[in-house]
């Protein structure tokens, strides 16, 4: 199977860690987290999203954050403080593509550009394995959290908050 160049780059970066991982091919139309989990039988508690954030400053500062799909990234609290800015938000999709070379729905903490901080919520680090993007919408990676740390990731307590399912 011919893969997107971004996916090939991500697979090479994952292999370079020497840690085990599995590639899970998926329908690109089902790459968004909720659709993927439902279609392929993964729980949001074992699926992690990589979200690029931007701190509003001159120049802007960015970081990539990895959180479980069952949680919500604390952009206005922990993220903003860690970025050292007064305001923070999700980075625009076009900026994420330009910065990482990855498609939304496939952004992964594996193989990010040098100099982009990688913060991993402690809930992700506590998992045995998590499913993350693979750089494009046609595949995901099932990895041990140690592989994300090997990418230069820093484990951060309370980077995300549990989603209140009651309301």
């Amino acid at each position: 199977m011919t893969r997107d160049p971004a996916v090939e780059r991500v697979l090479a970066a994952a292999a370079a860690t020497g840690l085990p991982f599995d590639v899970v091919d998926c329908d690109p139309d089902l790459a968004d987290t909720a659709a993927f989990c439902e279609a392929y039988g993964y729980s949001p508690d074992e699926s992690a999203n990589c979200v690029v954030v931007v701190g509003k400053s001159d120049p802007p500062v960015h970081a990539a954050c990895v959180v479980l799909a069952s949680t919500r990234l604390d952009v206005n609290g922990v993220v903003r403080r860690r970025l050292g800015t007064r305001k923070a938000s999700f980075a625009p999709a076009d900026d994420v593509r330009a910065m990482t070379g990855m498609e939304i729905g496939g952004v992964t903490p594996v193989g990010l550009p040098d100099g982009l901080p990688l913060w991993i919520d402690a809930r992700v680090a506590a998992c045995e394995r998590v499913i993350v993007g693979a750089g494009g919408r046609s595949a995901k990676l099932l990895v041990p959290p140690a592989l994300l740390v090997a990418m230069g990731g820093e484990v951060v307590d309370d980077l995300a908050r549990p989603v209140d399912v009651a309301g």
Side-chain angles (χ1 to χ4, degrees):
M1 168 188 249
T2 305
R3 293 195 188 272
D4 178 300
V7 174
E8 290 297 338
R9 181 174 48 82
V10 165
L11 295 177
T17 68
L19 294 166
F21 66 93
D22 293 314
V23 178
V24 178
D25 291 314
C26 71
D27 179 335
D29 291 335
L30 299 173
D32 293 324
T33 304
F36 175 85
C37 287
E38 184 175 332
Y40 295 95
Y42 287 90
S43 163
D45 289 325
E46 62 185 340
S47 179
N49 293 319
C50 182
V51 180
V52 178
V53 295
V54 58
K56 310 290 173 91
S57 62
D58 190 20
V61 291
H62 295 85
C65 302
V66 183
V67 300
L68 292 176
S70 59
T71 64
R72 181 169 295 136
L73 182 63
D74 186 8
V75 176
N76 294 315
V78 175
V79 170
R80 180 188 53 77
R81 286 190 299 274
R82 289 182 65 84
L83 289 170
T85 60
R86 292 187 63 212
K87 293 186 179 182
S89 64
F90 297 104
D94 289 342
D95 292 355
V96 173
R97 262 188 231 95
M99 188 182 317
T100 67
M102 299 175 198
E103 285 300 314
I104 300 303
V107 176
T108 182
V110 180
L112 289 170
D114 290 338
L116 181 64
L118 175 58
W119 301 332
I120 304 162
D121 184 66
R123 290 172 189 84
V124 173
C127 293
E128 185 177 328
R129 297 191 339 156
V130 292
I131 191 105
V132 296
R137 294 182 61 87
S138 63
K140 302 281 185 182
L141 298 178
L142 187 59
V143 302
L147 190 142
L148 307 181
V149 173
M151 292 287 110
E154 176 186 354
V155 176
V156 177
D157 288 331
D158 299 319
L159 185 62
R161 297 173 184 222
V163 174
D164 179 12
V165 294

